[in-house]
Each structure stands twice: as structure tokens, then as C-alpha cells.
Amino acid sequence: MRHLGVLARIQLSDEEVQSLTGQLDAIVDNIAKVSEVATPEVVATSHPIPLENVFRPDVVQQQLTREQVLRNAPDQADGRFRVTAILGEEQ
Amino acid sequence: MAKDALMDFDEALELFEPVLGFEVHVELNTATKMFSAAPNPANEAHHGAEPNTLVAPVDMGLPGALPVVNAEAIRSSISLGLALGCSIAPSSRFARKNYFYPDLGKNYQISQYDEPIAFEGSVEVELEDGTIVTVPIERAHMEEDAGKLTHMGGSTGRIQGAEYSLVDYNRAGVPLVEIVTKPIFGAEHSAPALAKAYVATIRDIVRGLGISEAKLERGNLRCDANVSLRPRGQEKLGTRTETKNVNSMRSVERAVRYEIQRQAAILAKGGTITQETRHWHEDTGRTSPGRPKSDADDYRYFPEPDLLPVVPAPELIEELRAALPEPPAARRRRLKAEWGFTDLEFQDVANGGLLDAVADTISAGAAPASARKWWTGEITRVANAQERDAADLVSPENVAALQRLIDAGTLTDKLARQVLEGVIAGEGTPQEVVDARGLAVVSDDGALIAAIDEALAAQPDVLAKIRDGKVQAAGAVIGAVMKAMKGQADAARVRELVLERAAQ
Amino acid sequence: MTDLTRLTAAELAAKLSSSEVSSVEATQAHLDRIAAVDGAVHAFLHVSDHALEVAADIDRRRAAGEQLHELAGVPLAIKDVLVTTDMPSTSGSKILEGYMSPYDATVVARSRAAGLVPLGKTNMDEFAMGSSTEFSAYGATHNPWDLDRIPGGSGGGSAAAVAAFEAPLALGSDTGGSIRQPAHVTGTVGVKPTYGGVSRYGAIALASSLDQVGPVTRTVLDAGLLHDVIGGHDANDSTSLSDAWPSFAAAAREGATGQVLTGLKVGVIRELDDRGFQKGVSDSFRASLAAMEAQGAEIVEISAPHFEYGVAAYYLILPAEASSNLAKFDSVRFGMRVTPQGAATVENVMAATRDAGFGPEVKRRIILGTYALSAGYYDAYYGSAQKVRTLIQQDFDTAFAQVDVIATPSAPTTAFRLGEKIDDPLQMYLNDVTTIPANLAGVPGISVPSGLAAEDGLPVGIQFLAPAREDARLYRVGAALEALLVDQWGGPLLDKAPSLTNGASL
Ligand SMILES: [Mg+2]
Ligand SMILES: [Zn+2]
């Protein structure tokens, strides 16, 4: 559960860890239920209405002004978003 | 940082077989980004824009924004897949790679996972000595780039010790094709050279296709190099390290050599290699450990529900296949024959990254020999001195024009070098520099004769010697005349005239 | 003078286009109504400062002889899941408090272009996770029929706004029933269009493969009018269908003649028997079927054996997609930022922000989704759930080979009391059993008021489902039944709702 909190970047309290741990069972129950019918020969449907090759022409269109980009920034400096020190590295 | 113990390279190769693998990210130079219609900074037209000025809602993960695939990026990716000898997937899909990082607006990267657009290919790589190595390609997939972080505070500008970081999302969403090789065996002593040649080949391929600006120094091409060693005679592969984001060909070569020497030293002492990413440090020529592989690499991939499968029509694939340029290795073979260069002459050109420059100069009218001489000679010398790319200094058209001025007798070799300097300095075409600097050869005999007569009058002893048949004494007069003419005279013509005037 | 807030959008539009009333008058009437009742209902999170300005502009353009859209000048409430440039967009979450979007959602842009007057943003369960609007970070919305009861969710605000006559039209979004179930419990009309029929661009994503934006209104015709405005292809949404759609308003008008019922084959699902439903809900449903039968419709029992797997599949797919869609709320570019004590790194700033900014239901689903996608489980979990989608689609295909539409009660019970199920997520989830299959399969659905439950006097809705792309069929059938029932009732069902202004209900 702690690991899930790290992956999801949510700092869970001890109580949250406790109550959520119990609720993972719901997922397990759901998987048990769908497994009754989700047999190998059934194809998965990722999009309810199948489409393919939806592309956009390579023409510049949308573009925000820097003011728009930064408008909601919790913190900024030099036209960029400012964040506190980063521990982990790039992926 | 403690210094790594290194084993002598040849000794390492005696004990261990190096196995390589590369992941090269190619930034496509489409007009817009992979999933948004914002301008693409990896296109020359938008390079160097102010931070956060090339951003559409989806690039910074704004609530409600949705991605739409760039048709041109699909064409470029298919072309690249074909140029790598890959099969193009009849149907491929985008997937979300989930991880949190401040440069990633959505906190997932749209990439491809189990269904890449291109797979199973190979590419011929020619080493500097002319050996051809076939590198097996596992896949090429499409994805988007992340934004750019600048680490502030602290001393180094590096992530460690920084107080805060600034994020620019201009690069977020730049179309990338990631090319992943299969393990490459048998490179042996040439492993570092192969690394460099492989990246050069990828660069030549994407340049030939015109799908990327292909400038390593700008990050248009970024190489992650995987290196592992296995003891001679062992079947099982050793543990590999992944040295990330090595951004010049020379560095790729050095990084691979370093990793071989470092790992060999550890293994020889009975140690084990940690599976980890490593960073290349250009300044020290070393790699340092980064993030170990862990469950933080649980990217929770799943098919991107906001995008649909890419199902290229067979006709499109054939159209793009028909339009492919010649593969680099084949092109080299052809050009070498056409130009009539010796092996050494040709390698000089090819290894200097000057094939295109020379070819274009020849197309612009220069003879192969003179084109080669300019590019591998004076231009490379200036480029090295200025730490720039030779191809960026001067256009092939201008080099051809310069050579035409020599051939026409307007310039001497020496004058031409001064004109080249002017062209590089941005003073215009060779003709414009000649005009502006007044550098043309003085071909007016009247002016020369006046200068010669003056010089002869000033040096009566020399005149006497010449009249005595000691023709070599003329040198002193010629030198004085050339000096008076500020070098802008054809020395051969001056000599002729000196002998003529002395005889009178 | 008639109370302008009691008019349907179509009626108001007619008075506007004949210049009998101005948009400023109509807008003011709704703003007054909001001022009078929204303290009790709490349908709105934000009321626009520009509504009268926009209305005045419409009046000016009309006076200048400009040819305006049929709905020009009619007020519109907008679910807060849709981003707007002139009002904050929070999706019911603290983490987005005060967030101002630099662009409008496509449906909002289209509404503005048609001259609709945005009145405000309506309340919702945080990030549309819930069936009661109790999970809004800004307090629950109250059902205008009984202020102690839930208005449904997640779009309880939009449904309550139209039910309380605070707006004639509203926009909603439906991921597992968030338009249809609130319609059911508030005696209003709600439509979930065919997936891809209406653009999702600018709808803050919950589950991308399930979300669909649609109209929330008091009549089927009004829903059709609004659907005509917001629907159709949008190049900014890759999953948007490029179909040429018929006019849904025209379909509703055609349906209202009642002729569509003759020979109409209405499927009822064998596996959805009465046991799971409140008696008043079942009774109302049967009565509606009987009324349709009396007009020549044929009720056909069909089988949908995989619908019972829908809820399980839904609660695998939704948290998985949501966990990824909600990752963007990280304190870097917008929204809340919480910096914990001590040496802060961006990692723990993100984690502290998400802990403080998300409510418990959101955190629950993000964690469940993260689990469902994490190491090695993708195929078993998400992948298997997607197989259930295939099976449910096959059930629909088989059914629609036999019938024109499928009918179900829109939800198992009438509005429950606020707080009654908030600690029982599973029970709350079961609310979606009738609505979820449409989202999983992408087919359109409509909920139309079918009457009041005898035991509690609360509204009940009937849901019709049609094959993908056959949204028009829903408008025809829905309008036909609506005409029949309104005739039986002697007026719209909402006439029976408390007025909210005579003091008793406030
Ligand atoms: Mg990689
Ligand atoms: Zn990559």
C-alpha cells in the first residue's frame, strides 16, 4: 500500500493505508468476477467505437501565450515554472 | 566522487566479450509537435524560442486537453522504420507510460509499448577502417519528448544540490522516434568505434530522410548506450549498465570504452555489476552511477484511451519505401567510386562527417579533388579552431564559388583562404568578400611593371645578377613586388615580368 | 407576466426570437431564481459575472437584425467538469480551486457560438467520482424534490439546477451514469450520447474511454436542441466521430406526435429482474411500458447475460484510467500546492499536495487504479475488463437485432438521503448497474421521467438505450413517452415538485 502511495504520489496517512488496504479486496473481487468470462479467445475492446488513423495535418495552430501558460502557476521565475529541489532523476 | 578503477582496454578485451545495445532518440523536425499543433522547437524555424512560448494545452497537461496525432510524424516514423530495414506494424498503438516528473506535464508520457510502429530490422554500419558491421534493430517506436528542467542554486547546475528547478515546456511533446537495437555481439576491440559509427549512421539516415535536424549538440539525437561484459566462453549475458543521454559521437565512443574498462576491473576482482543507469561526464571523461533499476520503474503502461490505432495503408508504406534515399553504406560505396578517391582520401571525408558537404560542393560545380581539399583542409582547420561543425561554417555553394574564382585566376590559394575567412565571418559570398576587401589578384601588368621597375632600381646588385644569368636571384625582387602588391598578385606572372624587365 | 424560469428552453427560445422577452430579462429571471433558491439547493459552484453582459449582447445582435441560432439568448448551466475561460473550473475539487482555463471546452465554445448564455458552473462529485454529489469538495447539492436527499451524481448540480428552475438547460458528463442517474432522481431529462458523438475536448477527464458530455434538461425536445448545438465532429478529440448527425430536436418533435410507438419493439432485459429495484421504481417502469404498449409498442424480452459483469469491469477500467488522468494534478503548473515542513523536495511537495487536495473517494480510486495497473497486473485487470466490454457489446448487438430500443429503470432506487450511503462505496457503486453498460459499450442512453414512486413520492426515470450512432431514436421514443405521460399527469412531472420559495422547503 505504501508503495502504491509512492507510485501515485499521494502521501497516505496510517489510517488511510489501513482503510485502503481493505479496499484492495474490491479490486480482487472485481477481477475474479470478470475472469469468469474474460477468456483468452475474447478480444479486448479499448475504444467503444472503433476508429483508426485519426491524424491531424502538420500545421501550426494552437499555441498559448506565455502569460496563458503561466497564469495558474503556483510559483514561477524567469518565464518558467518553479519547483522545489528534485531528488529523483529523469527516467 | 571516488575514482573508478579501470582495467587496461586490451586486457579487458582479452578477458571479456563486450555486448552493446543502443537506444537512440531522434527528434523529428515536423512543423508541429507529436500530439499538439504547437510549433516544434526541434524544427529549425522554431529553435531557440523563449521558454514556454511553444506550448499548447496538451503539452503542459492542462485539464481537459486531448492529444491528436501529427500525420507527418507518422510518415516520418514509417520512413525511418523502413530505412532501418524494419517491418512496419499493420496496426500499432500508443500507450501511456506513467511516472511523475516535473518536466512531464501529464505525468505520463505517451509512447508505444507492446505494439511499436516498426520492428525487426538491421542497419549496416561502416567503421572508420571501412569494416561493415550489421547492427540488429529490435524496434522503433514513436513517443513525445518531455520539457526541460534547469537546476538552480547550488554550485554545479546539476540536479544534486540544486535548491530549485525551473521548467520550460517548449520541448514537451516534441515528436521522437526511439530506436532500440538488439544486443550487439562481436564488436570486440571495435566496440567503442562501433558505438560512434552507429550514432553517425543513424544521423546520416535521418539527415538523408530529412526528418530531423540531426544536430547532436542540440539534442536532436540522443544516445543511451548499454554495455555488458561476459567472460570469454560464457553463454549468459552479463549485467548491463545504461549510460544515458550521451550527446556527441566522440562521447559515445569514450563512454563505451570507459564502461568496458570499469566493468572489467570490477568483474576481474570478483565483483558484480549493478544494473543501473549511469551518467556521462564530458569534463572528466567518466561515468557515474545514477538510479538503480527498481520497482520505481513500474510504469503502469496501458493503451492510451485518447488515441486510436495507427493502421498504415500498404500503399502508403510502399510510397514511402519508394521514396527512401540510398542507405548510407551503399551511398558511400557509390560516391567513393564516382569521385575516384583513394581509401584514405574517402575515409578522411567520411570520418569528418563531410560527405554531404563534399557531395553538395561537387553538385555546385567543384571538381571532387578541390571539394575534398577545401573541406578536409582549411574549413576543418577553422572548424576545429572555433569548435564548430565544419558544415555550419560555410555553404557548399560558396565553397564551389570560391574554387571557381581560383580556377579563373581571380584568386590565389592564399587569397582564397582570406576570402574564406570573410565568408565564414558572414561578410557575404566569395565575390562579395573579394569586392569588399579588394582581394582580387592584380592582373594589370602596368601596375606590376611599375612596381618591378622600382624594385629593380632599388636593388641594382640583384639586377646585375639576373643579367648575369643567375635567375634565382629574381626571388628577392619578386618578394618585394608581392609585398608592394599586398600579396594580391600572381607570383608566377610577376616572375615572368621581372625576367622580361631585367632583360631590357 | 409568466415566470420565465418555468418555461422550457424551446418555449423561452420562441419568446426570445419573437422579441416578446429579451435575453436580459430571461437571464435576470434565472439569476433571481438562483439567488432565491440556490442557498438551499447549492447547485452552483460559481455564478457568472458576465451573464447579463452576454445576454445584452445577444439582445443587441437580435435588434440589429442578425440571424441568430434558435437557442440564442437562452441561459445555460455548465457542469464544472467543463473548462471555461471566464469562470473557474474546479471539477468539484480543492486541488483546482480558482483554476482559470486559457481555453473553452469545445461544447462550451459551441454553446457560446450559438448564443447560449452561460449562467454559472454546477456542482459535482469531485472529478465526477460519485453518484450523489456528496463527494464535492464544496459541499453537497440538495435534491429540489426533498432537500434532505441527494440529487444524484456526479452531475447532481446540473440536474438540480434544471429541476429547481435555476436554468432551463445544463451540460453534464456521463462516465457511468452521471447524467442519467441525476435525471432519474430529479425528475429531469438526461442524455448520454454515443461515445464520440460529442467532443470531450475540455472536459476534465475521469475515464477517457467512458466519458461523454451530454444535455441535462427538463424536456426531451430541449435536450435535442442542446445536443444539436454541442454535438458533431471535433478535430481536437481523436475519438470524436465524423458522422453527419441528424437533428435531434427534429427527432424529438417527430417523436412527440406519438406515431413512433406503433410497432416499436422495446426490449426489456431478462436478467435485470425486479428484485434489485425499489418497488416504486419497478412499478413506474412497468406502467410506462404498459402505456407504450397501449400505443402499439411491442415489449420483447431480451437477454443480456454479460451486463452483470459490467459493474466489475467498470470498477477496474475507471480507476485505472482515472489514476493516470489525475496524475497531472501535481502542484507544478496549476492548482493547489502544499509544501510540507522541513526539507522539501518536489516529490514530497507533490505527494503532500495530492494528499491535501484530493478527497477520500478520489484518493481511493487513484490507489485502486494504480494497483490495477501496477507491475504485471495490466493484462489480468485492465485487459480482462476490456474483454467484458466486448461481451457487453455483443449482448447489445444481439439484442438490437431483435428490438429497436432497450428500456430499463434508470436507477434501482429513488433519491436516497444525504449521508445515507456515503460510507458504503460498494452500495453506492451498485447504483450504476443500469447505466454502466451503455458507457462500456459506447451506446447512447436517455433518462426520461416516468412518474413518482408511490412509497416516497420521489421521481423515477426510465432509461432507453439505442445502438451506437442511433441517438435520434432515443429522442423519438423518449419524446413519445414524455408526451404520453405529461398528458396523463396533466402537466410536467416537475409541476409536482415543491416550489422552494414558499418558505416550507427552505
Ligand atoms: Mg528508453
Ligand atoms: Zn524513449
Side-chain angles (χ1 to χ4, degrees), chain B residues 23 25 97 178 224 242 244:
Chain B
E23 291 168 27
H25 284 87
K97 180 180 182 180
E178 180 177 341
D224 302 344
E242 181 176 5
K244 300 285 267 187

Side-chain angles (χ1 to χ4, degrees), chain A residues 3-10 44-73 75-91, chain B residues 30-34 36-39 50-55 57 60 62 68-72 74 93 99-102 149-150 159 162-169 244 279 290-291 295 298-300 304-305 307-311:
Chain A
H3 175 58
L4 292 175
V6 170
L7 280 181
R9 284 284 193 283
I10 301 178
T45 294
S46 56
H47 294 87
I49 312 290
L51 295 172
E52 57 191 34
N53 293 337
V54 178
F55 305 134
R56 148 186 84 68
D58 186 24
V59 177
V60 173
Q61 266 162 12
Q62 308 148 294
Q63 198 180 342
L64 300 170
T65 63
R66 180 140 86 182
E67 192 190 9
Q68 286 176 316
V69 169
L70 293 168
R71 176 167 185 183
N72 293 280
D75 194 6
Q76 56 174 292
D78 300 332
R80 287 171 285 179
F81 296 89
R82 184 182 159 133
V83 296
T84 37
I86 299 168
L87 268 192
E89 294 164 35
E90 268 173 273
Q91 307 287 296
Chain B
T30 47
T32 65
K33 294 188 179 179
M34 186 75 222
S36 87
E50 288 294 302
N52 291 311
T53 57
L54 308 178
V55 180
M60 58 178 292
L62 284 185
V68 186
V69 176
N70 181 344
E72 192 57 33
I74 297 287
R93 272 201 295 188
Y99 65 93
F100 282 83
Y101 210 71
L149 281 163
T150 311
I159 192 162
E163 287 159 34
Y164 63 96
S165 302
L166 298 176
V167 202
D168 166 17
Y169 290 97
K244 300 285 267 187
H279 300 283
R291 198 169 45 86
D295 19 320
D298 183 350
Y299 294 124
R300 289 159 287 136
E304 166 58 279
L307 294 174
L308 298 142
V310 177
V311 184

Side-chain angles (χ1 to χ4, degrees), chain B residues 23 25 97 109 111 141 143-144 176-178 224:
Chain B
E23 291 168 27
H25 284 87
K97 180 180 182 180
Q109 179 195 32
S111 181
H141 69 254
E143 60 185 25
E144 57 178 337
L176 296 176
V177 177
E178 180 177 341
D224 302 344

